[in-house]
Amino acid sequence: MPLYLTEDQAMLQETARSFMAEEGAIAKQLRHWRDKGCSDGFGHGLWKQFAELGFNGILIDEADGGLGLGHVEAGIVLEEIGRNLTPSPFLVSAVAFVEALKGSTARERWYPGIIAGDTIAALAVDEGPKHRPDAIEMRAERSGNGFSLTGRKQFVVQGASADVTLVAAQTDEGLTLFAVEKGASGLDVEGVRLADSTIGARLTFADVQVDADAVIGEVGGGAEILDRALNAGRTGAAAELVGVGSASMEMTVDYLKQRKQFGKYIGEFQALQFRAAHLYSELEIARAATLKAQQLLDEGSPDAEAMVSVAKAKAGRASQLAVQEGVQMHGGIGMTDEYDIGLYMKRDRVLNELFGDANYHADKLARMKGY
């Protein structure tokens, strides 16, 4: 499939770009909620606007009230979210969580709220300092007609705001996923402000009782569902990283055209031109890899998982280069809060860690290829 957008996808991109630039702008959203010390880290009003535009239902089938589109279209929205650092629950709620519920009866319970912009979802997977979904130790023991959950989770993005959290735990039958509702008895939620001012959470489960209806899919059959959700989240995060990197580059190039030293615009210095050209090429490769991963996911290709890791690793490396070059080329002012470039660096760090950093995916890809 060609690595460019169709006419309909280009129209969606135009809509998302203009909307995010106006309603999701840094001053209007990220700085506003950060400076207010908002416990959610995002505006629920904006989430409702996402719903009005149909963004929240992009990955939801038309039969369930959504748009019935794919990961390419979700990535278009996410790139614009990254470009404007727009704080929202879109990546986890409308992409990863929605993907996990496909084919499950639980979608009837949770999809309508997500489509309407009334429901926030979270994923509780990681238990250590790094993303290691193959090292889940949290236990779910049978209790009555349901299960009792005991253990800890951390780096749960939007976990403090979530109406429902998808929790991965080990049962006697194997890895199982549970939809745990907000306010469950025995669930302790500690909100944590992340480096980019979004809010994550540490969750402690102390004999949290859930009934059998909370199981997503089959008991012991959670690994495949979790992989599907994580691949959707990883590809979405890659798209957002491309947006973060692209906006950082554009901001930096604009600064090179304005800032003078020794009587010349610093953009006239060849060394900086070489660095800007290198950065541009890296971001274009990352964009192409991300689009390919999205297309393969939409096709249901067996090659999708490998390409997802390529995209997440490449987008992470390219975005990191973009924000580092941006801060350095801005000079000392790049480290001040007055300039937005430092905010892009912070968002890059969180997105790089979310769903696995470049090292995790390089290792994962090597193992898949037999190394």
Side-chain angles (χ1 to χ4, degrees):
M1 184 177 289
L3 292 176
Y4 57 79
L5 302 181
T6 65
E7 184 176 340
D8 288 343
Q9 290 165 351
M11 290 175 62
L12 173 62
Q13 183 184 57
E14 183 178 342
T15 299
R17 182 161 295 179
S18 60
F19 172 76
M20 295 301 171
E22 183 176 348
E23 297 298 330
I26 292 174
K28 196 169 185 177
Q29 296 295 334
L30 189 151
R31 287 187 181 274
H32 172 74
W33 297 114
R34 182 199 67 174
D35 295 346
K36 286 189 67 173
C38 175
S39 59
D40 291 324
F42 65 90
H44 289 265
L46 184 69
W47 185 229
K48 292 288 287 186
Q49 287 179 281
F50 273 42
E52 291 166 5
L53 288 170
F55 291 163
N56 297 0
I58 281 178
L59 286 178
I60 297 175
D61 292 340
E62 291 181 89
D64 292 320
L67 297 183
L69 300 176
H71 294 280
V72 174
E73 288 79 9
I76 288 170
V77 175
L78 281 160
E79 184 171 340
E80 299 311 315
I81 287 174
R83 190 181 295 275
N84 294 279
L85 302 183
T86 307
S88 83
F90 184 82
L91 175 59
V92 176
S93 297
V95 177
F97 183 76
V98 161
E99 191 67 25
L101 264 57
K102 285 187 175 179
S104 167
T105 56
R107 72 186 193 283
E108 299 170 7
R109 168 74 173 86
W110 299 110
Y111 277 2
I114 290 174
I115 292 171
D118 295 327
T119 298
I120 309 298
L123 264 64
V125 178
D126 295 324
E127 300 173 1
K130 286 288 187 178
H131 178 66
R132 295 294 182 268
D134 55 344
I136 293 171
E137 296 182 357
M138 181 173 169
R139 291 292 303 175
E141 303 289 348
R142 290 192 179 273
S143 176
N145 68 343
F147 290 84
S148 170
L149 306 182
T150 303
R152 297 174 183 272
K153 298 288 185 180
Q154 63 180 25
F155 197 24
V156 182
V157 177
Q158 272 102 45
S161 311
D163 300 292
V164 56
T165 301
L166 188 69
V167 180
Q170 298 289 352
T171 62
D172 291 340
E173 294 84 354
L175 188 69
T176 304
L177 301 183
F178 300 88
V180 180
E181 296 191 36
K182 183 178 183 178
S185 178
L187 173 60
D188 180 69
V189 180
E190 178 191 0
V192 179
R193 189 170 296 277
L194 304 178
D196 63 346
S197 298
T198 57
I199 307 296
R202 298 188 183 99
L203 307 183
T204 301
F205 296 78
D207 190 26
V208 175
Q209 299 290 320
V210 296
D211 58 32
D213 291 339
V215 176
I216 303 302
E218 300 293 331
V219 176
E224 183 178 348
I225 300 171
L226 182 59
D227 282 345
R228 192 172 70 233
L230 291 177
N231 283 333
R234 289 160 179 162
T235 311
E240 191 170 340
L241 281 162
V242 170
V244 169
S246 297
S248 300
M249 183 187 70
E250 291 166 9
M251 187 182 305
T252 301
V253 169
D254 185 61
Y255 184 74
L256 295 181
K257 294 176 180 178
Q258 297 179 34
R259 172 68 172 164
K260 279 189 173 182
Q261 283 187 345
F262 310 112
K264 297 178 65 176
Y265 292 108
I266 60 176
E268 295 180 44
F269 293 108
Q270 196 173 57
L272 296 186
Q273 291 175 352
F274 285 158
R275 288 164 65 177
H278 173 238
L279 175 57
Y280 173 81
S281 65
E282 290 295 298
L283 283 168
E284 286 302 298
I285 294 170
R287 179 176 282 109
T290 300
L291 179 55
K292 187 64 177 178
Q294 293 161 351
Q295 291 174 344
L296 291 176
L297 282 177
D298 287 337
E299 294 170 6
S301 170
D303 297 325
E305 186 170 8
M307 199 64 208
V308 166
S309 285
V310 171
K312 182 61 165 67
K314 185 60 183 178
R317 298 284 194 197
S319 176
Q320 184 178 48
L321 177 65
V323 297
Q324 288 177 343
E325 290 285 64
V327 168
Q328 186 173 41
M329 291 187 197
H330 272 77
I333 61 170
M335 297 302 295
T336 65
D337 189 63
E338 179 183 355
Y339 280 75
D340 290 341
I341 187 64
L343 301 177
Y344 283 89
M345 174 174 277
K346 293 173 181 178
R347 182 58 180 159
D348 166 78
R349 289 311 313 137
V350 172
L351 276 173
N352 257 290
E353 292 295 330
L354 185 60
F355 303 125
D357 61 13
N359 291 333
Y360 170 84
H361 285 288
D363 180 72
K364 184 173 186 288
L365 185 63
R367 292 175 185 273
M368 290 175 64
K369 299 300 181 180
Y371 292 97

